[in-house]
Amino acid sequence: MKVLLAEDDQNLGMILNDYLTAKGYETILCRDGEEALSAFKKADDLSICVLDVMMPKMDGFTLAEEIRQRDSQIPIIFLTAKSMKEDTIAGLKLGADDYMTKPFSMEELLLRIQAILRRSQPEEIEQSQFAFGKFAYDYQQRILQHDDQEVKLTSKESELLKLFAQHINQTVDRTKALKVVWGDDSYFNARSMDVYIAKLRKYLKPDENVQILTVHGQGFKLIDLS
């Protein structure tokens, strides 16, 4: 997650920057509103904006208006030394997701950022139906179908095929496959995976356009040439 942090107080800005970085966030720290707007225009993958209200060159409210003209969805949290109700209302009218009055706890700020990001991020719906070549694969039912023929896969076969299907025509790293399906990349699990891949290759044999290739020194690739 990448955070745009606009704070003109040098000490507070550095403390917040270091804290958020330590918590796994990539932070862009800006000292005034104009610098923050420039940074916003250049960044294309920001997750949230944390804006001080009282800043030189451009205040936080004006900055938020500029940001909202370019992105109506990105979450915004205002930081301010003011506690007046009118300022809170003004910030919320500009589309702020939250409003914190200084002094505040960094842990509380982090919790509010996390809560806002959870609300703003759409839930991923895990894909369970796949199609490649003449095959239809139902992960939930663990069924691989070709014409009127069905194969009921074992749990490990299904997990492995799902991983390959999620990365169709892309190389899946051997170690990654072992850790995802078996939990670790031990020698014995590696030998076991080779056995399961041989089984999957047998199941896929009816369609010559669909194959599991071994990519030497890297891993495996499920290809669909149809």
Side-chain angles (χ1 to χ4, degrees), residues 57-181:
K57 299 184 180 181
M58 182 186 295
D59 65 78
F61 289 155
T62 305
L63 173 58
E65 288 180 329
E66 293 286 344
I67 289 174
R68 279 283 174 256
Q69 289 177 12
R70 293 165 173 79
D71 188 335
S72 61
Q73 300 299 319
I74 189 166
I76 295 175
I77 296 178
F78 280 124
L79 307 178
T80 181
K82 294 184 175 182
S83 58
M84 293 176 62
K85 182 178 180 181
E86 290 78 8
D87 291 317
T88 305
I89 293 172
L92 295 174
K93 282 183 176 179
L94 286 172
D97 295 82
D98 212 335
Y99 195 104
M100 297 190 67
T101 303
K102 301 174 185 178
F104 55 81
S105 159
M106 287 188 292
E107 183 178 1
E108 182 182 359
L109 174 62
L110 177 64
L111 291 173
R112 293 196 187 194
I113 289 174
Q114 292 172 338
I116 290 170
L117 291 177
R118 280 197 299 271
R119 294 196 301 266
S120 63
Q121 297 296 322
E123 291 187 13
E124 291 188 7
I125 300 175
E126 187 174 17
Q127 184 178 358
S128 62
Q129 304 281 338
F130 300 88
F132 34 86
K134 297 179 181 178
F135 288 100
Y137 165 49
D138 187 327
Y139 168 69
Q140 295 292 345
Q141 300 296 321
R142 303 209 309 260
I143 291 176
L144 180 64
Q145 185 172 3
H146 178 269
D147 292 334
D148 58 348
Q149 301 295 315
E150 287 186 356
V151 176
K152 180 70 173 181
L153 303 177
T154 66
S155 176
K156 284 287 192 293
E157 289 170 348
S158 187
E159 291 292 337
L160 197 54
L161 184 57
K162 175 191 173 187
L163 181 62
F164 291 154
Q166 287 174 324
H167 300 84
I168 192 78
N169 295 321
Q170 300 175 27
T171 300
V172 176
D173 182 77
R174 183 180 182 88
T175 299
K176 176 183 177 179
L178 284 166
K179 289 184 176 179
V180 169
V181 179

Side-chain angles (χ1 to χ4, degrees), residues 5-73:
L5 174 61
E7 172 58 65
D8 69 317
D9 183 312
Q10 186 170 352
N11 290 332
L12 178 58
M14 288 303 300
I15 291 171
L16 290 174
N17 180 76
D18 292 346
Y19 180 77
L20 292 173
T21 300
K23 295 299 181 180
Y25 292 85
E26 182 180 347
T27 307
I28 302 174
L29 176 61
C30 302
R31 300 300 187 188
D32 60 64
E34 287 186 359
E35 182 185 348
L37 180 58
S38 177
F40 179 84
K41 291 177 179 178
K42 293 176 183 177
D44 58 1
D45 55 351
L46 288 171
S47 303
I48 191 168
C49 298
V50 180
L51 312 178
D52 184 27
V53 172
M54 301 300 293
M55 290 187 293
K57 299 184 180 181
M58 182 186 295
D59 65 78
F61 289 155
T62 305
L63 173 58
E65 288 180 329
E66 293 286 344
I67 289 174
R68 279 283 174 256
Q69 289 177 12
R70 293 165 173 79
D71 188 335
S72 61
Q73 300 299 319

